[in-house]
Every structure is written in structure tokens, then in C-alpha cells.
Amino acid sequence: MTQTHSYRQLPESVGVVGAGTMGSGVSQSLAQAGYRVVVVEPDAAIAERARGAIKDGIRLAALLGRGERVVSAGAEDRIRWADRLEALGEVGFVIECATERQELKEQIFAELDRCTPPDAILASCTSAIPIAGLAARTGRPGQVLGLHFMNPAPLKDTVEVVRAPRTSDETLDVAARLLDSLGKRQLVVQDGPGFVINRVMMLTIVEAAAAVSDGKADAATTDALFERCLGQRMGPLRTADLIGLDNVDDTLTVLREHTGDSRYTPPPALRDLVAAGHFGRKTGRGFHDYS
């Protein structure tokens, strides 16, 4: 059946669910672009840290002078904080940035379907969970898609956009124009575990960590090979530290469960760091020391 295409205005306000690293970065990007933002974060401590991170991020963006799309003046005032999803009753677009746990995200999408306007678009910033499963928890699967922002969201100019089997053309059009208003480009991929980036990158991280576990090289040497020999700005283990090793572990679990592929099993070097609470940059230590 051919889908009809109609032009919709962009929403004036956007909801963000979760104020962790990605949620705070996405919220900052939206506020700087002039949107009113409603951030839902039930954990008061996380919300307080996010306020500080957003304030620092806006100040940095102003100092760097990152183009006409940065509207730093009053950006913080455009963000409203809440601890319940009911606060999203009047937004036209929601970007979910909760912890990478499928059951949690499914619960959030079912609740978003209940408490947001019927025409609101619901997007997930998941890095690996198939969008079709989240859309199935709603009565509006055509208005659900994936927006996989990269970290740090305010500084990365391209987003992996995930089209689920029932995502409509109109939904993709609105999402594309929203991203353009943030100064970001899009690359559209089809739905599936890990999409494209993490389907490939997580295997690279696993093999790099396995090389460390097997004593082939230390983390610094492993990353230096990718940076100096292949011209990558950041090696796979520094990338994992930036993502957060706890998030990497969660993503590997999702990929392993959905694909049945044992290659997505964390090697000892990664597993031991996560068990010790060394998650990378955000804790000061991961494969590298940031203290």
C-alpha cells in the first residue's frame, strides 16, 4: 500500500526522556536551536548533574562559536524539568534516551503512547534495540523511528536514522527537518539489532578488548594502531570509554540476545572493568586513565 506524504510543521516543544549523557546532550542541542524542551528524569541526582552538564555545554558552544544555529542566549531557560512522563502531554515530538534496557524502553513507549498527543512522533535514541519492538508497544507504529545520536550529541553532525517496517514517510520527513534545524545531517538505515554502526563497531571493540585480554598489546598500543596506521581519530577502546563501558556491555547483551551470535560476548578485559565500576571517561577510568 502506497503511503501518502503530507507536510507537517515542526513542533515548538520537544520532550526528552532520560537525562544521562545522551539525554543531556540531545536536550542541549534542541534548546540551542530554539526549541522548548521538556526533560523527564525521575532521578533527582541525575537531573542535577545534567543541568550542570548542559550549562557547561552551552557555555562551550558559545565560546567555540559553532555557527548561526547555536542560540545560546536563553537556551537554559527553554528547558523545563519534570520527573513524570505526564509532563509530555503537549509536546509534538519525543526523543527517548533512557538506559539501554529493552524492557524499560518498551514500558516507556507504552506509557508515551498513553500520555502524549495522538499525532506526536516518538523516537528512540537506542543504540541497538530494534525499533519495531518499541513501536509495537504503541498504537501509532507509523510515528515511531530511531534517532541514534552520536556522543557527544552537540558536537556530532550526523545521526543514524532508523526506519522500522511501519515508519511512515511523513515521520521520516519531520525527523529529517528537525535534525536539519539542529544543524545535523542524517543517514537512514533499515531496522535490525545494532542497526549498522553498532552491529559493526561492537565487534571491533570486542576484538580490541580480546587482544588486551590475550596479552597481544596494551590498550594504548591497540588504540594507537587504529589512530596512526588507519587514520582514525579515536581507537576502539577510547571510543568504548567515551560511550561508557556499562553502555557497551548493555549493547552487547542486546545484540547477543537478538542475534544469537556469541561474538558479541564481552572478553575478560571488558567484563572485569565493568564489574569494578570503571566505565570510562565518566568515572575517570576505563581502558585508559582519565583521572
Side-chain angles (χ1 to χ4, degrees):
M1 181 176 177
T2 303
Q3 293 173 313
T4 59
H5 180 82
S6 61
Y7 192 85
R8 282 178 55 178
Q9 288 188 336
L10 289 176
E12 294 182 357
S13 60
V14 179
V16 176
V17 180
T21 300
M22 291 309 303
S24 59
V26 170
S27 299
Q28 177 191 327
S29 298
L30 290 164
Q32 287 179 166
Y35 291 95
R36 295 197 301 270
V37 185
V38 181
V39 184
V40 177
E41 174 52 65
D43 188 313
I46 293 176
E48 187 60 31
R49 285 198 298 270
R51 285 189 182 94
I54 291 171
K55 182 177 181 179
D56 292 343
I58 291 172
R59 184 183 300 113
L60 177 62
L63 289 172
L64 294 176
R66 296 186 60 81
E68 296 177 356
R69 297 178 194 261
V70 175
V71 188
S72 296
E76 288 182 70
D77 295 333
R78 287 190 285 274
I79 301 176
R80 180 163 66 90
W81 297 84
D83 59 5
R84 297 177 64 85
L85 293 174
E86 282 77 8
L88 303 176
E90 297 182 359
V91 303
F93 201 110
V94 178
I95 304 174
E96 172 272 316
C97 301
T99 304
E100 193 73 354
R101 304 288 171 83
Q102 183 164 344
E103 183 178 357
L104 171 63
K105 289 182 182 288
E106 288 178 350
Q107 291 173 353
I108 290 172
F109 269 76
E111 188 67 13
L112 287 173
D113 192 47
R114 183 188 67 80
C115 66
T116 59
D119 62 347
I121 290 173
L122 309 179
S124 177
C125 191
T126 176
S127 59
I129 297 170
I131 302 301
L134 303 179
R137 299 301 300 270
T138 77
R140 60 181 94 177
Q143 295 160 228
V144 179
L145 78 163
L147 293 181
H148 183 201
F149 287 80
M150 304 297 115
N151 185 30
L155 301 181
K156 298 293 186 177
D157 67 359
T158 304
V159 175
E160 184 182 36
V161 175
V162 185
R163 181 172 198 168
R166 298 176 68 181
T167 304
S168 71
D169 291 340
E170 181 181 70
T171 295
L172 282 177
D173 173 69
V174 175
R177 288 187 286 118
L178 177 73
L179 291 174
D180 183 66
S181 72
L182 303 183
K184 299 187 185 301
R185 297 172 291 182
Q186 63 163 345
L187 291 170
V188 180
V189 302
Q190 300 303 306
D191 197 16
F195 320 127
V196 174
I197 287 180
N198 277 328
R199 176 178 173 177
V200 176
M201 184 172 67
M202 289 297 151
L203 286 176
T204 305
I205 290 173
V206 165
E207 289 300 324
V212 174
S213 294
D214 294 343
K216 305 301 182 184
D218 60 17
T221 301
T222 300
D223 278 338
L225 287 166
F226 283 82
E227 294 160 4
R228 300 179 191 178
C229 297
L230 301 181
Q232 295 186 4
R233 293 182 61 185
M234 186 180 296
L237 301 180
R238 290 192 186 278
T239 299
D241 282 349
L242 179 62
I243 296 169
L245 300 187
D246 52 338
N247 295 327
V248 170
D249 190 46
D250 287 341
T251 301
L252 289 172
T253 297
V254 170
L255 286 164
R256 197 165 60 251
E257 290 177 349
H258 280 276
T259 65
D261 191 336
S262 62
R263 293 181 299 169
Y264 293 109
T265 301
L270 174 56
R271 189 174 61 242
D272 292 348
L273 286 169
V274 172
H278 301 312
F279 299 152
R281 285 183 179 272
K282 61 186 176 182
T283 61
R285 179 182 169 189
F287 283 103
H288 301 275
D289 189 344
Y290 304 93
S291 59

